Amino acid sequence: MGQRKPIMAANWKMHKTIQDIKVFFESFLQLVEGVDDREIVIAPSFIGLSDACRMTVGSKVQIAAQNMYFQEQGAYTGEISPTMLKSAGVDLVILGHSERRHIFGEDDSLIARKVRSAADHGMAAILCIGETLEEREAGLTEQVLSSQLLLGLALLESGHFASISIAYEPVWAIGTGRTASPEQIQDAHGFVRGTVENMAGEAVAQQIRILYGGSVKPGNVREIMSLEDVDGALVGGASLEPESFARIVKYE
Ligand code: 13P
């Protein structure tokens, strides 16, 4: 993994009320005290962002949004803008999550505009990519990953790459309890790094962090994090309980 600082990120999806978030942080912050050789990220729903930012002031936990729109303001009912997120204290956003793509119909060109907008607003972004089971079984994994990367990052200029991370999340491993094998994960991550190298050069490819997501748990995180091209994890279900996510953060 070299010099890349790991990112251990929780994606809470549509879970937790503001009250639940308070309860989580009351124990979680103590459990991860003293952990400073990795970044800890938590992405609550929009409604919890301001409180989560307040509750984590002075801690090492960074709060992220799960999505955003690319425009700053306007007639876009139901959407949240980068400037709104920044006003709540959020400067990191997850973009292109498979649930956004598959349930809400986001396509690569929309996601590319969001990725560019994050960069334009000085926000870091985690771009999610990953193949479906049908695509994997049809031998299309690398084709899907390269197309999602090329299209999703298409609007960036070279200086923007420093604030981008990639999350490889095979759709068939999300919320299914079915983790990709270490070999499948390393193969995909190596391929992603190679694709980034072709796009943006070796220096960018060596510094960019590639997270794995899909049924990460305390029991499998250590093996996953030991893989050469894995620089972090993006965790859904197993991030909801403070003890469980703290064990993942510490690879215990
Ligand atoms: P699970 O950890 O619940 O499989 O979810 C993964 C995910 O989608 C994180 O973004």
Side-chain angles (χ1 to χ4, degrees):
M1 187 156 55
Q3 298 305 305
R4 299 184 292 269
K5 190 173 185 178
I7 305 178
M8 307 308 285
N11 173 10
W12 282 348
K13 309 188 179 184
M14 200 174 74
H15 292 283
K16 291 194 190 294
T17 63
I18 292 170
Q19 197 53 43
D20 296 334
I21 294 173
K22 287 200 179 97
V23 172
F24 178 93
F25 281 121
E26 272 159 16
S27 54
F28 181 74
L29 292 181
Q30 292 175 2
L31 293 170
V32 296
E33 225 170 54
V35 177
D36 48 19
D37 57 350
R38 59 207 68 180
E39 293 180 21
I40 306 172
V41 170
I42 296 201
S45 72
F46 289 133
I47 196 95
L49 287 175
S50 293
D51 287 283
C53 285
R54 271 197 292 277
M55 286 173 219
T56 53
V57 166
S59 81
K60 302 225 170 61
V61 174
Q62 202 183 344
I63 300 301
Q66 298 175 16
N67 186 25
M68 69 175 197
Y69 197 52
F70 63 88
Q71 298 280 11
E72 287 191 351
Q73 59 181 3
Y76 306 106
T77 302
E79 294 295 321
I80 302 264
S81 78
T83 39
M84 291 170 183
L85 291 176
K86 292 193 79 172
S87 74
V90 176
D91 51 20
L92 171 62
V93 61
I94 298 170
L95 295 172
H97 190 275
S98 84
E99 287 144 20
R100 298 304 316 169
R101 294 175 189 263
H102 296 289
I103 303 175
F104 301 102
E106 292 196 14
D107 63 15
D108 288 304
S109 73
L110 174 62
I111 293 162
R113 280 181 284 180
K114 295 182 176 197
V115 171
R116 172 66 196 234
S117 176
D120 284 339
H121 289 88
M123 296 180 71
I126 300 173
L127 171 66
C128 301
I129 59 172
E131 81 289 359
T132 63
L133 187 58
E134 299 72 57
E135 288 163 342
R136 174 164 283 271
E137 287 175 345
L140 297 173
T141 299
E142 293 193 346
Q143 199 171 310
V144 170
L145 298 183
S146 75
S147 130
Q148 289 176 341
L149 282 171
L150 291 171
L151 297 171
L153 301 174
L155 303 179
L156 293 185
E157 289 161 24
S158 54
H160 292 141
F161 278 83
S163 58
I164 300 289
S165 306
I166 307 294
Y168 169 60
E169 299 202 304
V171 178
W172 47 274
I174 296 178
T176 58
R178 186 175 164 192
T179 320
S181 71
E183 192 185 8
Q184 287 171 324
I185 296 173
Q186 174 53 35
D187 282 352
H189 281 230
F191 178 78
V192 168
R193 199 174 304 285
T195 306
V196 171
E197 182 170 341
N198 291 339
M199 291 180 74
E202 192 187 352
V204 168
Q206 284 308 313
Q207 65 82 30
I208 202 165
R209 287 170 298 175
I210 308 172
L211 287 61
Y212 169 77
S215 298
V216 175
K217 299 179 189 66
N220 60 22
V221 66
R222 179 178 283 274
E223 183 177 31
I224 293 169
M225 290 303 298
S226 73
L227 299 169
E228 185 184 345
D229 284 300
V230 173
D231 311 311
L234 183 55
V235 188
S239 73
L240 294 171
E241 294 300 325
E243 294 75 17
S244 166
F245 189 52
R247 287 173 62 201
I248 289 173
V249 166
K250 300 192 240 180
Y251 323 158
E252 275 173 359

